[in-house]
């Protein structure tokens, strides 16, 4: 009787559709950064939203080496759809040029699933410095920097950080020179800006928003190609500097989902549909809006093209900056 019961259970399991069997297995979603940031918060919200379609999704934080450790876990995972990573502009576009040795290839070792979100950065000045120097726009900033080369400085969260690279791209395209002062993280750079130790930063919009609204910081422009819905009146650098060599300026933080290389097409499409549907929900969009994170779902093919373009763009920026990590 025991043998017959066991055979019955095996037969019942075999009769279940493959997608139902797969959904019964938990999916590991690796976040290659510490808990608490916008990327981690969105990953956890997505894990909740896709439970009906994918089953249990467990978020696993594996920070270290600028995101490389967590990304490498998935690069070397079995391509069965149960191990994915929330990669980002750092892991897939900046770090390949920043680190002397990377344990994975950002294109060859992954299967793009969907872009998840974009987070605008913003060009901000210390409000007192902006008033003292009569700088109220990107045009004013460029004019002052050209008239006083090296007089202005800008802070960042460290060599090779998004703020550093945005500053180097700005200097290169506008033909100006500002002194770069790296700090140990974005919070330290923002404190230096607020205290007047530095004049300018290219900060995350979400972290700068409160000080912009309070008047302690003056926002000149967002760094992305499109305006942010969170501050729709604020122009882009490309808009403001179109006649100053900045018409193609586009730097922003983004993150998206990747599986290991050779992920089967049907599995990729199943994951894409689940996460794209979740990103379309009003509840999740509202939650992301509070973080000033803009949902940006795509097809796997469109995400692949996007990553390739970003990788090519940051190759030039990182090499021009001279930043490198051993």
């Amino acid at each position: 009787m025991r043998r017959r019961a066991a055979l019955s259970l095996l037969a019942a399991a075999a009769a279940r559709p493959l997608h139902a069997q797969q959904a019964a297995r938990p999916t590991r979603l690796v976040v290659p950064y510490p808990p608490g940031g916008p990327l981690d918060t969105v990953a956890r919200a997505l894990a909740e939203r896709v439970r009906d379609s994918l089953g249990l999704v467990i978020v696993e934080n594996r920070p270290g080496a600028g995101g490389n450790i967590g990304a490498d876990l998935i690069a070397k995972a079995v391509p069965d759809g149960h191990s994915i990573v929330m990669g980002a502009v750092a892991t897939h576009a900046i770090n390949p040029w920043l680190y002397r040795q990377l344990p994975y290839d950002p294109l060859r070792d992954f299967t793009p699933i969907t872009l998840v979100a974009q987070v605008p950065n913003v060009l901000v000045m210390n409000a007192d410095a902006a008033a003292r120097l009569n700088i109220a726009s990107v045009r004013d900033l460029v004019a002052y920097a050209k008239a006083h080369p090296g007089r202005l400085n800008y802070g960042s969260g460290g060599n090779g950080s998004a703020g550093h690279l945005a500053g180097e791209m700005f200097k290169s395209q506008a033909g100006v020179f500002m002194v770069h002062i790296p700090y140990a993280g974005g919070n330290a750079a923002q404190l230096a800006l607020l205290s007047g130790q530095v004049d300018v930063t290219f900060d995350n919009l979400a972290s700068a928003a409160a000080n912009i609204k309070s008047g302690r910081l003056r926002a000149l422009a967002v760094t992305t190609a499109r305006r942010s819905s969170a501050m729709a009146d604020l122009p882009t650098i490309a808009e403001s500097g179109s006649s100053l060599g900045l018409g193609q300026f586009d730097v922003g933080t983004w993150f998206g989902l990747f599986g290991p290389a050779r992920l089967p097409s049907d599995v990729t499409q199943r994951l894409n549909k689940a996460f794209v549907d979740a990103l379309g929900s009003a509840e999740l969009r509202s939650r992301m809006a509070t973080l000033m994170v803009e949902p940006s779902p795509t097809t796997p093919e469109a995400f692949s093209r996007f990553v390739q373009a970003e990788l090519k763009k940051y190759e030039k920026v990182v090499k021009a900056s001279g930043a490198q990590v051993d």
Side-chain angles (χ1 to χ4, degrees):
M1 289 185 66
R2 286 199 192 97
R3 187 173 177 221
R4 282 200 299 272
L7 289 171
S8 296
L9 287 171
L10 287 170
R16 292 170 64 200
L18 179 60
H19 72 270
Q21 295 179 46
Q22 290 176 328
R25 291 176 54 196
T27 298
R28 175 175 65 159
L29 171 52
V30 171
V31 170
Y33 300 102
L39 186 152
D40 176 71
T41 302
V42 171
R44 293 178 185 280
L46 278 172
E48 294 173 9
R49 293 294 307 180
V50 299
R51 183 167 293 191
D52 289 344
S53 54
L54 298 181
L56 179 63
V57 176
I58 300 172
V59 176
E60 180 181 333
N61 295 90
R62 295 298 294 268
N68 295 344
I69 290 174
D72 189 48
L73 279 177
I74 301 308
K76 293 176 172 57
V78 176
D80 58 5
H82 290 279
S83 294
I84 57 179
V85 63
M86 187 74 89
V89 61
T91 58
H92 281 74
I94 295 175
N95 291 357
W97 311 115
L98 183 64
Y99 283 77
R100 290 182 187 275
Q101 292 186 321
L102 203 67
Y104 58 84
D105 184 287
L107 300 179
R108 188 176 60 241
D109 293 339
F110 296 90
T111 300
I113 297 169
T114 180
L115 181 63
V116 169
Q118 300 191 61
V119 186
N121 292 336
V122 60
L123 170 57
V124 286
M125 285 194 71
N126 175 286
D128 291 337
R132 185 177 70 255
L133 302 175
N134 294 315
I135 296 175
S137 67
V138 170
R139 180 174 291 279
D140 293 341
L141 178 64
V142 171
Y144 184 89
K146 284 189 172 181
H148 307 86
R151 186 82 59 85
L152 291 174
N153 55 44
Y154 77 98
S156 80
N159 288 319
S161 66
H164 175 206
L165 298 179
E168 292 304 306
M169 183 182 287
F170 186 90
K171 287 162 57 178
S172 174
Q173 292 186 6
V176 299
F177 177 67
M178 297 186 294
V179 178
H180 173 230
I181 302 179
Y183 289 87
N187 289 339
Q190 187 180 84
L191 288 173
L193 180 68
L194 290 169
S195 66
Q197 294 177 44
V198 295
D199 304 307
V200 178
T201 63
F202 296 79
D203 201 359
N204 179 280
L205 181 58
S207 63
N211 287 310
I212 292 171
K213 291 175 181 176
S214 72
R216 298 181 69 192
L217 296 179
R218 176 174 289 178
L220 303 183
V222 292
T223 65
T224 42
R226 294 184 301 173
R227 294 191 182 201
S228 168
S229 57
M231 291 189 180
D233 292 338
L234 194 61
T236 67
I237 288 177
E239 284 179 74
S240 304
S242 59
S243 62
L244 306 171
L246 294 162
Q248 301 301 313
F249 195 94
D250 180 16
V251 175
T253 300
W254 56 263
F255 46 91
L257 292 163
F258 298 84
R262 297 176 297 282
L263 195 64
S265 177
D266 61 327
V267 175
T268 302
Q269 293 298 332
R270 179 172 62 85
L271 290 168
N272 175 269
K273 183 178 188 316
F275 285 106
V276 167
D277 287 350
L279 287 166
S281 72
E283 178 188 350
L284 187 57
R285 284 180 170 269
S286 175
R287 191 167 175 180
M288 291 171 75
T290 63
L291 301 170
M292 297 190 181
V293 173
E294 301 186 359
S296 307
T298 62
T299 64
E301 296 77 16
F303 188 31
S304 177
R305 292 191 296 270
F306 175 80
V307 173
Q308 291 176 54
E310 288 287 284
L311 188 63
K312 186 176 180 180
K313 176 173 74 178
Y314 281 103
E315 177 183 12
K316 297 177 183 177
V317 180
V318 174
K319 288 181 177 178
S321 75
Q324 201 160 58
V325 178
D326 292 326

